[in-house]
Amino acid sequence: MKKFFQEIKADIKFKSAGPGQKLTESVGERAPKEKPNQPALRQPRQGPTDEAQMAAAAALARLEQKQPRARGPTSQESIRNQVRKELRAEATVSGSTEAPGTNTVPEAKEEGSAHLAVPGVRFTCPLTGATLRKDQRDAHIKEAILSHFSTDPVAASIMKIHTFNRDRDRVKLGVDTIAKYLDNICLHPEEEKYRKIKLQNRVFQERINCLEGTHEFFEAIGFQKALLPVPDQDGPEEFYVLTEAALAQPQSLQRHKEQLLVAEPVRATLARQRRVFRPSPMASQFDLPVDFFNLTAEEIKREQRLRSEAVERLSVLRTKAMREREEQRETRKYTYTLLRVRLPDGCLLQGTFYARERVAALYAFVREALQSDWLPFDLLASGGQRLSEEESLAFNECGLVPSALLTFSWDTAVLEDIRAAGAEPDSSILKPELLVAIERLS
């Protein structure tokens, strides 16, 4: 093909080169003649014929079909620039409609708008049982813990230590230090030095004083503040001193120590918001609120880190296993998922889950709603794929985010036993109290 174009170019150059020279002429004779005063008329450049142009166009078309697709930029800097342009373009058109036939993410809608599949993500306070929005969790739990001081100051102070302080490593160090203080008292009740804790002590300041709730704990278990003289020091210093009444009950001190060591932070639990819908052709349509797509500060940092890694990944070759891991990581950016289970009578059972929860949580959720919760059953994903209750797969690892429709199916052995008895399985399998509140999916 290159030879074809070279011949065309050579033909054009030859025709426009002017009169030729004989090889037998001397150097002087080959010297260019002086130009006349009248400028010579330059002959117009003659282009290729129509037939040549058509042949060239056809050849170019064939050449483009044979050539591989144009590769992207190869240098790392140009790759980074290209990815930044694509990310900016994605942010600009993030609200645009996907082309038909693509796997689109359900559109997020504002909370309170009509036809939402669920009003929003809700949480339950374990202390009060109140249902809370995401932005209400921390304030409500703190208020509930503080109000608990009037009834059980020891339990309230322990909850405050583990809940109000976010640095878990620092909390563990402080708790272990308090436990050491109490162990010394129980092991050496006759030693007065172990019953006193100097507040200005470096260990106390670095490990305990910096934690919220520690002072309330010491006072709740029987310590009192007192100014005591210090040898070789002019003025007194402040100490925590264990009272005689508390010292007489070493079992209580040991019990409080164990409670402090095994306690966990008080966190609001995700509310399932169980709903039952009548059979509907719109079972696979999910209008999700923005709670399912909003990212926390930690999740935003994680997304930025993943995008930075994506820039570097474009500069190296990836295996199929690497690509599959990256696709799986993409599904992990969802925190919650809304799942529906189609029952044998066509009714739909719906609940909200964390995307990182295991499949066993969905089986337990369905089992709680069944009349015969002891009978084995299966849950099938799209395409008939069976989700095993024993497998430790999370919903995001199964692709069941941010929403999915599954199908309930009785275990094969159960069906055979029922039919062997000359009966058919009952299509209505939910508890009667759930059917009273059945809704229409709009």
Side-chain angles (χ1 to χ4, degrees):
M1 189 58 61
K2 288 184 179 180
K3 185 177 180 181
F4 174 77
F5 286 111
Q6 288 173 356
E7 291 176 354
I8 293 178
K9 290 181 181 179
D11 184 60
I12 294 173
K13 286 183 180 180
F14 179 79
K15 291 179 179 178
S16 60
Q21 300 287 341
K22 293 182 179 180
L23 296 177
T24 56
E25 290 179 353
S26 63
V27 175
E29 292 175 347
R30 288 201 305 266
K33 297 180 180 180
E34 294 184 359
K35 295 182 180 179
N37 293 333
Q38 294 292 334
L41 293 176
R42 187 174 181 179
Q43 293 182 353
R45 184 173 179 177
Q46 184 177 359
T49 62
D50 294 340
E51 292 79 2
Q53 291 180 2
M54 293 175 62
L60 282 174
R62 291 193 299 271
L63 186 61
E64 289 177 357
Q65 291 179 356
K66 293 180 180 180
Q67 287 179 347
R69 294 180 180 178
R71 297 180 62 186
T74 55
S75 69
Q76 292 193 5
E77 186 61 31
S78 59
I79 290 174
R80 292 189 183 95
N81 293 334
Q82 180 67 20
V83 171
R84 291 189 189 102
K85 291 179 182 178
E86 293 177 359
L87 293 178
R88 284 196 294 267
E90 288 178 5
T92 305
V93 299
S94 59
S96 61
T97 305
E98 295 280 349
T102 57
N103 187 13
T104 61
V105 174
E107 181 183 358
K109 295 190 177 182
E110 292 294 331
E111 185 174 327
S113 61
H115 309 307
L116 281 177
V118 67
V121 177
R122 296 292 184 265
F123 300 86
T124 303
C125 175
L127 300 177
T128 64
T131 301
L132 310 168
R133 297 195 308 269
K134 187 188 298 186
D135 57 346
Q136 297 174 328
R137 292 177 298 177
D138 294 342
H140 182 89
I141 289 177
K142 286 185 177 182
E143 183 181 351
I145 291 175
L146 295 176
S147 64
H148 201 62
F149 273 96
S150 59
T151 57
D152 191 347
V154 175
S157 60
I158 292 175
M159 289 188 290
K160 185 174 182 179
I161 291 172
H162 284 276
T163 306
F164 284 35
N165 303 285
R166 295 288 183 178
D167 190 336
R168 299 304 303 160
D169 293 334
R170 179 169 290 185
V171 169
K172 185 179 186 307
L173 183 61
V175 165
D176 289 343
T177 305
I178 295 174
K180 185 65 175 177
Y181 285 146
L182 300 182
D183 280 338
N184 287 335
I185 294 173
C186 294
L187 293 174
H188 311 282
E190 71 284 350
E191 293 283 346
E192 185 180 357
K193 65 178 181 179
Y194 291 121
R195 287 179 268 163
K196 297 186 296 184
I197 301 173
K198 186 179 178 181
L199 270 64
Q200 295 303 318
N201 179 274
R202 182 178 61 84
V203 173
F204 185 90
Q205 288 291 322
E206 292 179 355
R207 300 183 182 182
I208 298 175
N209 189 59
C210 59
L211 298 177
E212 292 189 64
T214 51
H215 290 280
E216 291 91 333
F217 177 75
F218 278 113
E219 294 172 3
I221 64 176
F223 281 88
Q224 291 180 346
K225 287 184 179 180
L227 290 174
L228 300 177
V230 180
D232 302 329
Q233 189 169 318
D234 296 336
E237 286 202 22
E238 195 171 26
F239 284 79
Y240 269 132
V241 181
L242 187 66
T243 63
E244 292 294 335
L247 182 62
Q249 297 179 342
Q251 298 85 359
S252 296
L253 291 177
Q254 194 71 21
R255 185 175 67 254
H256 297 329
K257 184 200 75 171
E258 295 297 332
Q259 291 173 349
L260 179 65
L261 289 173
V262 301
E264 294 289 338
V266 179
R267 298 283 183 257
T269 57
L270 181 65
R272 296 295 186 208
Q273 301 184 85
R274 180 173 57 195
R275 301 173 71 181
V276 180
F277 297 104
R278 298 183 186 278
S280 171
M282 297 186 294
S284 59
Q285 298 180 13
F286 294 85
D287 292 329
L288 299 178
V290 294
D291 287 354
F292 280 75
F293 302 91
N294 286 348
L295 300 178
T296 63
E298 292 78 9
E299 291 167 343
I300 291 174
K301 291 179 182 178
R302 184 183 66 182
E303 284 297 306
Q304 291 174 343
R305 176 173 52 81
L306 294 178
R307 286 175 179 261
S308 299
E309 293 175 358
V311 174
E312 300 298 332
R313 285 198 304 271
L314 288 176
S315 62
V316 297
L317 295 175
R318 294 173 296 162
T319 64
K320 181 180 179 181
M322 294 169 63
R323 290 194 299 270
E324 289 176 351
R325 284 197 298 269
E326 290 166 11
E327 291 173 0
Q328 189 178 84
R329 186 186 299 173
E330 276 296 306
T331 64
R332 290 177 181 168
K333 66 183 179 182
Y334 296 107
T335 307
Y336 313 101
T337 182
L338 187 68
L339 302 178
R340 288 179 187 154
V341 178
R342 194 197 304 273
L343 303 173
D345 60 354
C347 290
L348 304 168
L349 179 65
Q350 175 180 289
T352 305
F353 298 82
Y354 283 111
R356 63 178 182 273
E357 283 189 83
R358 305 300 175 186
V359 173
L362 179 59
Y363 271 87
F365 172 74
V366 174
R367 191 171 285 111
E368 290 175 359
L370 299 179
Q371 296 184 50
S372 304
D373 56 2
W374 53 273
L375 288 175
F377 61 90
D378 294 325
L379 294 177
L380 309 178
S382 59
Q385 176 190 358
R386 179 182 176 273
L387 301 178
S388 175
E389 185 176 5
E390 288 75 22
E391 292 181 8
S392 60
L393 289 177
F395 295 124
N396 52 16
E397 295 174 333
C398 301
L400 304 177
V401 289
S403 59
L405 174 65
L406 301 99
T407 303
F408 179 98
S409 174
W410 286 116
D411 183 79
T412 306
V414 173
L415 287 177
E416 291 177 354
D417 292 342
I418 294 175
R419 287 168 180 163
E424 285 294 326
D426 191 357
S427 60
S428 180
I429 61 176
L430 292 178
K431 293 179 179 177
E433 57 267 27
L434 297 179
L435 296 175
V436 173
I438 194 168
E439 306 173 56
R440 183 179 298 277
L441 187 61
S442 57

